[in-house]
Amino acid sequence: MSSNETPRGPVDSSRVPRYAGPATFARLPRLDEVGTADVAVVGVPFDSGVSYRPGARFGGNAIREASRLLRPYNPAQDASPFALAQVADGGDIAVNPFDIHEAVDTIEAAADDLLGTGARLMTLGGDHTIALPLLRSVAKKHGPVALLHFDAHLDTWDTYFGAEYTHGTPFRRAVEEGILDTEALSHVGTRGPLYGKQDLTDDEKMGFGIVTSADVYRRGADEVADQLRQRIGDRPLYISIDIDCLDPAHAPGTGTPEAGGMSSRELLEILRGLASCNLVSADVVEVAPAYDHAEITSVAASHTAYELTTIMARRIAAARTA
Ligand SMILES: N=C(N)NCCCC(=O)O
Ligand SMILES: [Zn+2]
Ligand SMILES: [Zn+2]
């Protein structure tokens, strides 16, 4: 969007009922309706990398459906994200469900195209495998990026059944490829049984810090966000949110649920505490609607993507007026 254009916002829900018409994220225009966007919301319907329950291929559309109720002003960040920047729904990246290597390449190429237009990406998964090609693309543009990874799991394991591209391995691959800034890597919400203590030793060697789910409970969202913000500074930041960072009570619709997770309130508050960060792109993954009830998980995911989008829109607007 050039500086003298007004962004095209969502369909007005006081004129067209919010349950009418096909779903785009937050009822925003499609990317092909606006040409280019500052933030492109894209779906990646891919779940061939999962180790347990499948179904995250339907996550993006479930999040879009649940996002119909979002409103244009975000009081928690005192910002109207869709007025500050052009946010548009770029539809889905069509990926091969039968060939993971091809799928990973397709996602990277599609992300290259979108980032090449100047857009930041708000990606809706899909399983966590997709974070690797997204990070590859973001690193081509920005160099190695800081990573905040919200997840019950480390996702720094080596292989499953000999496969290197799975939803449990994207961040080990990313570290091996040198596309992450190892000075600023954190997992948040970590919990649950591991294969062995070595998982933690390996993870630490890769440079990750861990804020467990229990740490968030004990120290509170504000203190955690302050600590993370200090570590990240103004580095280009990628945030990857596996919805299973939330307790199964807050996100039952996911493939590898673990008890004892964060509440959606804690997650949203931590994100709001990161509002000043230079968020260059983000994903929300692992929403598997077949295990969901009353859209609990997809509503949480839609609000999560809304906070992330607001952070990006504020940054874009601030850069425009600087
Ligand atoms: N990324 C997600 N959601 N889960 C990884 C779990 C890997 C495992 O089955 O051990
Ligand atoms: Zn996970
Ligand atoms: Zn994950």
Side-chain angles (χ1 to χ4, degrees):
M1 194 191 81
S2 69
S3 51
N4 54 0
E5 279 176 63
T6 310
R8 191 166 144 195
V11 173
D12 181 350
S13 292
S14 66
R15 290 169 180 272
V16 183
R18 45 171 58 102
Y19 39 83
T24 55
F25 181 74
R27 310 190 80 204
L28 284 158
R30 297 193 317 262
L31 185 55
D32 62 2
E33 294 173 309
V34 291
T36 57
D38 300 304
V39 181
V41 183
V42 287
V44 184
F46 172 85
D47 64 7
S48 308
V50 300
S51 57
Y52 197 47
R53 298 169 175 170
R57 65 181 62 182
F58 299 109
N61 279 338
I63 298 168
R64 288 188 176 105
E65 280 295 335
S67 73
R68 289 174 183 272
L69 187 56
L70 294 171
R71 301 180 190 84
Y73 174 64
N74 183 343
Q77 294 195 47
D78 186 21
S80 296
F82 312 137
L84 290 176
Q86 180 64 64
V87 186
D89 193 319
D92 287 344
I93 302 173
V95 290
N96 187 337
F98 300 108
D99 184 331
I100 297 186
H101 282 82
E102 186 190 314
V104 162
D105 288 346
T106 303
I107 297 165
E108 183 179 339
D112 288 350
D113 286 349
L114 287 161
L115 292 173
T117 67
R120 299 181 193 220
L121 288 183
M122 177 63 254
T123 307
L124 311 176
D127 77 50
H128 225 152
T129 312
I130 71 169
L132 176 64
L134 294 168
L135 282 165
R136 282 180 180 162
S137 184
V138 165
K140 268 184 252 172
K141 183 163 177 176
H142 296 280
V145 287
L147 173 70
L148 256 186
H149 168 222
F150 292 81
D151 203 320
H153 308 101
L154 299 167
D155 289 359
T156 51
W157 287 294
D158 190 6
T159 56
Y160 283 84
F161 290 82
E164 54 180 349
Y165 295 160
T166 78
H167 78 154
T169 56
F171 303 116
R172 181 184 289 241
R173 294 290 92 78
V175 170
E176 288 167 351
E177 294 178 20
I179 58 180
L180 299 181
D181 179 344
T182 49
E183 296 296 305
L185 305 180
S186 300
H187 304 293
V188 185
T190 319
R191 65 190 186 278
L194 301 171
Y195 296 94
K197 202 168 179 147
Q198 188 70 28
D199 295 353
L200 293 170
T201 326
D202 288 353
D203 189 82
E204 196 182 348
K205 271 197 212 126
M206 288 176 231
F208 281 93
I210 293 181
V211 180
T212 67
S213 166
D215 291 335
V216 174
Y217 167 71
R218 292 203 184 94
R219 291 167 45 203
D222 289 348
E223 194 184 311
V224 166
D226 286 349
Q227 183 209 338
L228 293 170
R229 219 176 39 242
Q230 276 167 29
R231 185 155 186 195
I232 295 158
D234 209 46
R235 295 174 163 91
L237 169 67
Y238 188 93
I239 297 184
S240 184
I241 302 191
D242 185 326
I243 205 66
D244 73 27
C245 69
L246 300 181
D247 191 87
H250 292 253
T254 196
T256 48
E258 310 279 352
M262 293 190 287
S263 67
S264 47
R265 182 175 55 228
E266 286 171 322
L267 171 61
L268 297 174
E269 280 299 307
I270 294 173
L271 294 178
R272 290 163 186 155
L274 301 167
S276 62
C277 289
N278 181 16
L279 181 61
V280 294
S281 284
D283 64 57
V284 179
V285 298
E286 297 283 348
V287 172
Y291 317 100
D292 207 2
H293 305 275
E295 294 189 306
I296 296 172
T297 312
S298 45
V299 166
S302 74
H303 283 251
T304 301
Y306 181 66
E307 294 300 332
L308 293 166
T309 306
T310 306
I311 298 172
M312 290 192 257
R314 286 175 49 153
R315 187 80 186 195
I316 291 157
R320 196 181 291 126
T321 53

